[in-house]
């Protein structure tokens, strides 16, 4: 059930403007506040494609540093690889929410960021040069979490890790596996970006409906799913045991970047801010707000009827409340769960409030159908 009731006049007006009432022709889209073409164009040209380009550059740097390490494994090249991995992982958080269109078609998240890493599976894959990384069983054996294990978690010291890539009997196999993982990440990202810069961009912008399968519907579903399942639950709810399905059991070992734990909060905060920026249509390069979910809700006149507060403002206020909870957490979410888990649970509860607003109130106001199922019991 929705937490708010909204004025219906905006929704009715939207239907009339978009489909035409009384046989009148459609208005000029240049002056139509409910025309979705500007919003779709802003998303494609000013947010999605630039964000992917930025991430591609960071992944390119990581590839160069990975090649340096696998060619000459030593503490210097390991440090360079780690830094570039961290930088790319942070910027991945800014594109992970784009799991629609080419991202969804290539299920890029499954190959880039399924955690916790499957340690035993990684070891098994290392021993098999012909392993098929496209199979679901290998999701948690690749991408950023697997690289985290391979460069941060194999031994207790840097020298111990270097030994496993130099004099150990399986050193060459580990090196080959890193190369295989990095090559796969580059190949998948290249495909996604090429699709966006090819025919898909125009397909995306021209799909202006609100029906299931339309661009706006796909975006809203992917956006809400990412916030609910991969930020609220994955980064906070599951490790803290806040999920109703966990029975209160904490899983600190399931934090993101488990082997480099001091960046786990940075990853979560970056993903959350990317969600906020997208809601407000903020250009990735310019930072300027354009047509967005916020402006569309305002055009629909979606408000809390008891206070007259715009739904967009209510959502942004809740985003701010959630951000404040993130600010109270330590950089190492693994230790946060162990030493002060209540702050994690408090953060989860604030994120959950935003989930309801996005999943129920926003989609209701926009006449969008949620097409995914979340089975976490919340």
């Amino acid at each position: 059930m929705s937490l708010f009731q909204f004025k219906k006049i905006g929704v009715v007006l939207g239907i009339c403007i978009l489909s035409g009432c009384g046989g009148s022709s459609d208005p000029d889209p240049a002056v139509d506040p409910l025309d979705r073409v500007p919003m779709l164009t802003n998303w494609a040209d000013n947010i999605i494609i630039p964000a992917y380009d930025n991430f591609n550059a960071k992944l390119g740097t990581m590839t160069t540093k990975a090649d340096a390490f696998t060619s000459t494994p030593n503490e210097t090249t390991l440090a360079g690889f780690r830094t570039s991995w961290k930088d790319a992982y942070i910027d991945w958080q800014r594109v992970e929410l784009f799991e629609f269109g080419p991202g969804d078609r290539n299920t890029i998240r499954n190959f880039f960021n399924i955690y916790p890493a499957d340690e035993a599976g990684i070891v098994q894959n290392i021993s098999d040069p012909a392993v098929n990384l496209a199979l679901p069983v290998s999701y948690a054996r690749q991408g950023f979490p697997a690289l985290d294990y391979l460069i941060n978690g194999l031994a207790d010291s840097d020298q111990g890790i270097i030994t496993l890539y130099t004099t150990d009997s399986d050193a060459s196999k580990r090196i080959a596996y890193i190369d295989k993982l990095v090559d796969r990440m580059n190949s998948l990202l290249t495909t996604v970006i090429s699709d966006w810069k090819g025919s898909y961009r125009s397909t995306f912008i021209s799909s202006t409906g609100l029906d299931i399968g339309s661009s706006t519907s796909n975006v809203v579903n992917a956006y809400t799913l990412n916030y609910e399942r991969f930020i609220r639950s994955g980064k906070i709810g599951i490790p803290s045991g806040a999920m109703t399905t966990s029975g209160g059991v904490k899983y600190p070992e399931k934090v993101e970047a488990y082997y480099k734990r001091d960046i786990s909060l940075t990853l979560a905060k970056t993903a959350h801010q990317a969600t906020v920026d997208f809601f407000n249509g903020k250009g990735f390069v310019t930072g300027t707000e354009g047509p967005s979910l916020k402006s569309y809700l305002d055009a629909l006149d979606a408000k809390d009827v008891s206070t007259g507060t715009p739904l967009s403002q209510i959502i942004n206020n809740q985003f701010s409340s959630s951000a404040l909870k993130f600010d109270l957490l330590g950089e190492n979410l693994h230790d946060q769960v162990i030493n002060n888990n209540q702050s994690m649970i408090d953060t989860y509860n604030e994120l959950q409030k935003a989930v309801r607003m996005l999943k129920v109130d926003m989609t209701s106001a926009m006449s969008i159908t949620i097409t995914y199922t979340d089975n976490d019991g919340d």
Side-chain angles (χ1 to χ4, degrees):
M1 179 179 295
S2 172
L3 295 178
F4 304 95
Q5 291 180 310
F6 302 103
K7 292 182 178 179
K8 297 298 184 181
I9 183 173
V11 178
V12 175
L13 176 61
I15 294 172
C16 289
I17 289 176
L18 292 169
S19 62
C21 292
S24 60
S25 60
D26 291 340
D28 181 357
V31 297
D32 179 4
L34 289 171
D35 175 35
R36 287 180 286 275
V37 170
M39 180 172 69
L40 296 170
T41 302
N42 185 51
W43 285 345
D45 293 348
N46 297 325
I47 302 177
I48 298 169
I49 293 174
Y52 271 132
D53 282 341
N54 175 75
F55 175 59
N56 189 42
K58 294 296 178 67
L59 191 63
T61 299
M62 190 191 82
T63 301
T64 299
K65 297 298 184 180
D67 289 345
F69 173 71
T70 56
S71 296
T72 310
N74 58 45
E75 292 192 21
T76 299
T77 56
L78 176 61
F81 187 8
R82 283 172 168 167
T83 298
S84 62
W85 166 86
K86 179 190 73 174
D87 291 344
Y89 204 178
I90 291 171
D91 271 25
W92 160 256
Q93 308 297 323
R94 299 186 172 102
V95 300
E96 187 170 4
L97 67 161
F98 306 144
E99 193 81 354
F100 47 83
D104 177 54
R105 188 160 55 248
N106 292 278
T107 59
I108 190 170
R109 180 193 284 117
N110 289 341
F111 303 113
F112 273 66
N113 198 34
I114 297 301
Y115 58 92
D118 178 3
E119 293 183 11
I122 291 170
V123 172
Q124 180 180 331
N125 280 9
I126 287 172
S127 67
D128 180 9
V131 65
N132 184 358
L133 292 177
L135 298 177
V137 70
S138 282
Y139 287 166
R141 303 176 184 181
Q142 61 190 295
F144 288 110
L147 291 175
D148 184 20
Y149 172 63
L150 291 168
I151 64 178
N152 294 312
L154 283 180
D156 294 332
S157 68
D158 289 357
Q159 189 52 54
I161 291 175
I162 297 303
T163 298
L164 292 172
Y165 288 100
T166 51
T167 60
D168 185 82
S169 59
D170 287 332
S172 61
K173 293 181 180 179
R174 292 190 186 91
I175 287 173
Y177 195 62
I178 285 180
D179 288 338
K180 187 181 186 75
L181 296 187
V182 173
D183 287 348
R184 178 164 173 77
M185 293 172 79
N186 276 285
S187 176
L188 285 166
L189 183 62
T190 296
T191 298
V192 170
I193 293 176
S194 296
D195 286 353
W196 268 105
K197 292 184 175 181
S199 61
Y200 183 74
R201 175 193 172 276
S202 60
T203 299
F204 177 78
I205 293 172
S206 64
S207 177
T208 59
L210 291 173
D211 54 307
I212 294 173
S214 66
S215 292
T216 302
S217 175
N218 289 342
V219 169
V220 169
N221 271 275
Y223 174 84
T224 307
L225 172 65
N226 185 70
Y227 194 87
E228 178 177 15
R229 186 177 297 171
F230 296 98
I231 298 179
R232 181 210 63 168
S233 299
K235 300 178 191 301
I236 304 296
I238 292 173
S240 68
M243 312 291 292
T244 59
T245 53
S246 73
V249 178
K250 298 184 291 186
Y251 297 97
E253 72 278 6
K254 293 186 178 182
V255 298
E256 196 170 18
Y258 173 73
Y259 308 97
K260 179 61 176 167
R261 302 169 190 171
D262 60 352
I263 69 167
S264 52
L265 177 63
T266 297
L267 298 178
K269 292 176 72 172
T270 302
H272 186 264
Q273 188 60 50
T275 301
V276 176
D277 290 346
F278 188 85
F279 178 79
N280 291 291
K282 185 177 290 187
F284 188 85
V285 175
T286 65
T288 301
E289 291 187 6
S292 61
L293 293 170
K294 172 183 178 292
S295 64
Y296 192 78
L297 288 171
D298 290 344
L300 288 170
D301 197 30
K303 295 179 179 180
D304 177 359
V305 294
S306 64
T307 65
T309 306
L311 174 58
S312 65
Q313 181 180 330
I314 294 169
I315 292 173
N316 269 320
N317 288 345
Q318 187 56 46
F319 283 152
S320 295
S321 296
S322 299
L324 289 174
K325 294 298 183 182
F326 276 119
D327 288 341
L328 297 176
L329 302 176
E331 290 293 330
N332 184 328
L333 295 185
H334 173 276
D335 289 356
Q336 183 74 52
V337 169
I338 293 174
N339 299 320
N340 183 12
N341 193 47
Q342 186 58 49
S343 293
M344 289 283 283
I345 294 173
D346 292 345
T347 303
Y348 171 87
N349 289 336
E350 288 301 313
L351 294 170
Q352 175 62 13
K353 294 175 186 177
V355 167
R356 294 192 185 102
M357 294 174 188
L358 297 173
K359 191 175 183 180
V360 179
D361 302 314
M362 181 178 74
T363 57
S364 176
M366 294 181 67
S367 300
I368 295 289
T369 300
I370 288 293
T371 57
Y372 69 87
T373 302
D374 198 87
N375 297 317
D376 60 20
D378 296 321

